[in-house]
Amino acid sequence: MTKRRCLAFVGALTSAAAIHCSSEPQKFETKDESVPDAEPPPVAPFVDASVEQDASAPLPDVDCADENKKIYVLSGNDKVIYRFDPIALTFTSLGRPACATRSGMYSMAVDRRGFAWVEYQDGRLFKVNTADMSCADSGFRRDAYGFGLFGMGFAKNDGDTGGGVNAGETLWVVGAALARLDTTTLDLSIVGKGGLGRSELSGTGVGTLYAFMSGAGGRVAQLDKTTGETQKFFVTGVENLGAWAFAAWGGDFWLFTSPPQVSGTETSTVTKYSPTTGESTVLMEDVGLLIVGAGVSTCAPTEPPH
């Protein structure tokens, strides 16, 4: 555990942002000792999914299961998908996807039925069943579009107020430009110009789409899905990024960031930014994972929990 560090506000765009450290202690949960460990336990609060879930737990092919209302993250150091609980501040290890590639993970989005769409650094996009980590190659190849590596996230379609399995959502990707990726036909449709730099996307169940950019100030942009233009900026003050991931959950922005790798042992910090107050709060430091991607479905809450 490193010394708690607070980041100072840097610059201003449309509003000021302040960062402070949480005074609340981190919460830790222990594993069931009756379950043998293949590896030493990690240094952050973790839960074993085999202990947490029972045989009656719903499979991912269920619209908006309770498990699918949390945040999923990719760990670059062990190539495992974890489910993050923003209330308990715990990570649940779901396992390593059985995808036919040796490349590193790059980005992830999660759909309403609990399937993780994982992009690897070799440009391939896989569909992962989060219940058993089985993996299918989607067939999408970014090189066919000259698009490069991209950040991605699902957002609910505008005007769609229905629930259930027919609720419409779109997979958005941002790289050379903002685009829609049809998960059935794998067609890529450009809707806006570039200019966001290296970014990660996160959408919501009310149709909003955000991009967390890696440049100065740790800016988050709310995007117009018809033009790709920025509608509003939020300045989180979280910068000097080596690896980063992002999710919009409960009306807040959840930032998973680490500094550039120097010793090779750097791990991620979890920061919550409130668009309402303009404050960033460091909730967890050095969580023991190098988080390189995050995904949240459009089932997730869009208002702070009560």
Side-chain angles (χ1 to χ4, degrees):
M1 185 70 63
T2 59
K3 183 178 181 181
R4 182 171 298 277
R5 180 166 56 114
C6 294
L7 301 176
F9 163 74
V10 181
L13 293 174
T14 59
S15 62
I19 293 184
H20 60 87
C21 295
S22 173
S23 60
E24 297 182 1
Q26 295 182 18
K27 298 179 181 179
F28 292 81
E29 295 192 12
T30 58
K31 285 186 173 183
D32 187 338
E33 296 300 330
S34 64
V35 179
D37 291 317
E39 299 177 354
V43 297
F46 290 88
V47 179
D48 188 334
S50 65
V51 176
E52 182 190 61
Q53 298 176 349
D54 58 28
S56 63
L59 294 175
D61 199 21
V62 175
D63 188 73
C64 288
D66 286 343
E67 292 83 359
N68 200 30
K69 297 176 183 177
K70 299 177 183 178
I71 299 173
Y72 293 80
V73 299
L74 296 175
S75 171
N77 42 6
D78 58 7
K79 296 185 179 181
V80 166
I81 294 180
Y82 292 81
R83 186 169 56 242
F84 175 69
D85 186 332
I87 303 299
L89 298 181
T90 55
F91 293 88
T92 299
S93 173
L94 302 182
R96 181 179 294 185
C99 300
T101 177
R102 294 185 178 180
S103 182
M105 296 167 163
Y106 186 80
S107 185
M108 176 175 63
V110 179
D111 65 27
R112 293 176 63 84
R113 302 183 71 78
F115 289 92
W117 295 75
V118 182
E119 177 193 12
Y120 284 77
Q121 293 179 6
D122 59 6
R124 301 167 72 185
L125 182 64
F126 292 87
K127 184 178 180 181
V128 178
N129 183 324
T130 57
D132 60 11
M133 291 295 107
S134 59
C135 180
D137 189 339
S138 71
F140 177 79
R141 298 292 183 271
R142 62 178 175 82
D143 291 340
Y145 294 89
F147 201 72
L149 290 169
F150 50 80
M152 56 182 174
F154 281 93
K156 198 167 184 181
N157 297 336
D158 293 335
D160 188 346
T161 59
V165 298
N166 295 317
E169 62 179 0
T170 296
L171 178 57
W172 294 88
V173 301
V174 61
L178 180 68
R180 295 187 302 266
L181 177 59
D182 190 313
T183 55
T184 301
T185 66
L186 301 180
D187 289 335
L188 192 70
S189 303
I190 306 294
V191 299
K193 298 180 180 179
L196 294 175
R198 298 176 64 194
S199 302
E200 276 290 359
L201 295 179
S202 186
T204 71
V206 294
T208 46
L209 181 66
Y210 300 101
F212 176 41
M213 297 173 284
S214 61
R219 296 178 298 170
V220 174
Q222 181 176 334
L223 302 178
D224 186 320
K225 295 186 296 184
T226 60
T227 65
E229 298 293 329
T230 297
Q231 296 178 317
K232 184 185 299 184
F233 274 120
F234 303 90
V235 185
T236 70
V238 179
E239 52 187 350
N240 188 32
L241 306 179
W244 72 95
F246 164 60
W249 189 95
D252 296 316
F253 301 148
W254 293 76
L255 312 176
F256 305 86
T257 61
S258 70
Q261 296 290 292
V262 177
S263 66
T265 60
E266 291 81 1
T267 65
S268 296
T269 291
V270 180
T271 303
K272 181 175 72 171
Y273 172 82
S274 169
T276 302
T277 65
E279 292 186 339
S280 290
T281 304
V282 176
L283 298 180
M284 305 173 72
E285 290 186 296
D286 294 336
V287 299
L289 302 173
L290 183 64
I291 297 173
V292 298
V296 61
S297 79
T298 57
C299 305
T302 57
E303 299 291 337
H306 299 292

